[in-house]
Amino acid sequence: MNLIMLGPPGAGKGTQAAMLAKRLGIPHVASGDLFREALQAKTELGLKAKSYMERGELVPDEVTIAMIRERLLQPDCDEGMILDGFPRTIEQAEALNGLLAEQGKTIEAALFIDAPEEELVRRLSSRWTCRKCQAVYNVISNPPRERGKCDVCGGELYQRIDDEPDTVRNRIRVYWDQTSPLIDQYRHEGLLTTIQSEGGIDHVHEKILSALRIA
Ligand code: AMP
């Protein structure tokens, strides 16, 4: 199963994509995580992406598409994958169709996870991320068992620089300008399912499973 998770920053795409990937036994391919790993490892890709990420802007399409192409060619994606944060522009969506077609694959569904804007800003400003495995926590609604420490791998939790309020607002603006046209495109292709991100993480997960008819 090849799935796309769409939605504004802070809607809970990453959390839900990780849960769904575990449930389906397929990889969770998150473009933001791949960029952050490259940034941390100070690779050429990381250096290219750094200034865009810090401003909450999109990394240029050619850089992003090349990175995703390499990831999708790895054998663990053979049985399917959950794409989180990619595609984010019409050009990326077209490139994705081309990449999948080359491998004889298609997209089965695009899940649009939505939440009101005040809620997005509130969630992102209280979000903490694991430096090692990228698991996310919310200090108010989903705190780690031990302060500052990841429940999954014991890694150190930190606040992403692009989760600061001004950058968050820019990321939401960028999302509306550049990514939201994809919602109409996938709706038009009959692939879109909209899920409201409310009622808690487990409840949203259940809604996703029932939308995908996974018992
Ligand atoms: P995310 O973790 O998905 O919020 O992504 C963090 C940052 O990585 C974004 O604000 C962009 O700077 C960059 N990024 C992630 N995915 C993409 C993408 N598909 N296209 C361009 N830039 C991206």
Side-chain angles (χ1 to χ4, degrees), residues 31-122:
S31 47
D33 288 354
L34 294 173
F35 280 132
R36 276 183 292 280
E37 281 160 19
L39 202 62
Q40 224 166 329
K42 298 193 168 64
T43 64
E44 201 186 325
L45 173 71
L47 294 177
K48 276 188 196 157
K50 187 172 191 280
S51 64
Y52 298 98
M53 294 176 77
E54 285 174 353
R55 292 195 307 269
E57 304 284 341
L58 294 186
V59 178
D61 281 339
E62 69 273 16
V63 176
T64 308
I65 292 166
M67 173 183 79
I68 290 288
R69 158 183 267 276
E70 203 176 303
R71 180 66 189 89
L72 298 196
L73 288 171
Q74 317 246 318
D76 64 333
C77 292
D78 283 352
E79 300 302 315
M81 71 217 146
I82 300 186
L83 279 168
D84 161 18
F86 182 93
R88 254 174 156 104
T89 63
I90 296 280
E91 193 177 336
Q92 291 180 15
E94 282 166 4
L96 175 63
N97 286 342
L99 289 176
L100 292 176
E102 277 171 29
Q103 297 180 283
K105 296 178 183 167
T106 51
I107 296 159
E108 270 80 39
L111 291 170
F112 170 42
I113 316 285
D114 200 14
E117 182 156 336
E118 327 79 73
E119 179 67 13
L120 302 175
V121 177
R122 197 182 65 78

Side-chain angles (χ1 to χ4, degrees), residues 184-195:
D184 284 337
Q185 178 167 321
Y186 288 119
R187 184 180 290 120
H188 184 71
E189 291 174 25
L191 294 172
L192 195 81
T193 298
T194 302
I195 307 279

Side-chain angles (χ1 to χ4, degrees), residues 122-194:
R122 197 182 65 78
R123 284 186 194 175
L124 291 174
S125 50
S126 51
R127 175 162 85 170
W128 288 72
T129 304
C130 175
R131 224 179 258 293
K132 220 162 124 194
C133 77
Q134 314 269 358
V136 290
Y137 298 87
N138 184 293
V139 283
I140 302 159
S141 60
N142 177 36
R145 283 194 293 274
E146 198 179 321
R147 195 160 175 257
K149 200 167 164 187
C150 178
D151 292 352
V152 182
C153 73
E156 181 204 356
L157 302 183
Y158 78 111
Q159 213 166 8
R160 279 170 48 176
I161 188 171
D162 61 346
D163 280 347
E164 285 169 9
D166 282 351
T167 318
V168 161
R169 280 180 222 286
N170 193 36
R171 286 164 64 205
I172 294 172
R173 203 166 33 241
V174 166
Y175 164 78
W176 282 114
D177 288 348
Q178 303 190 55
T179 306
S180 65
L182 290 179
I183 299 166
D184 284 337
Q185 178 167 321
Y186 288 119
R187 184 180 290 120
H188 184 71
E189 291 174 25
L191 294 172
L192 195 81
T193 298
T194 302

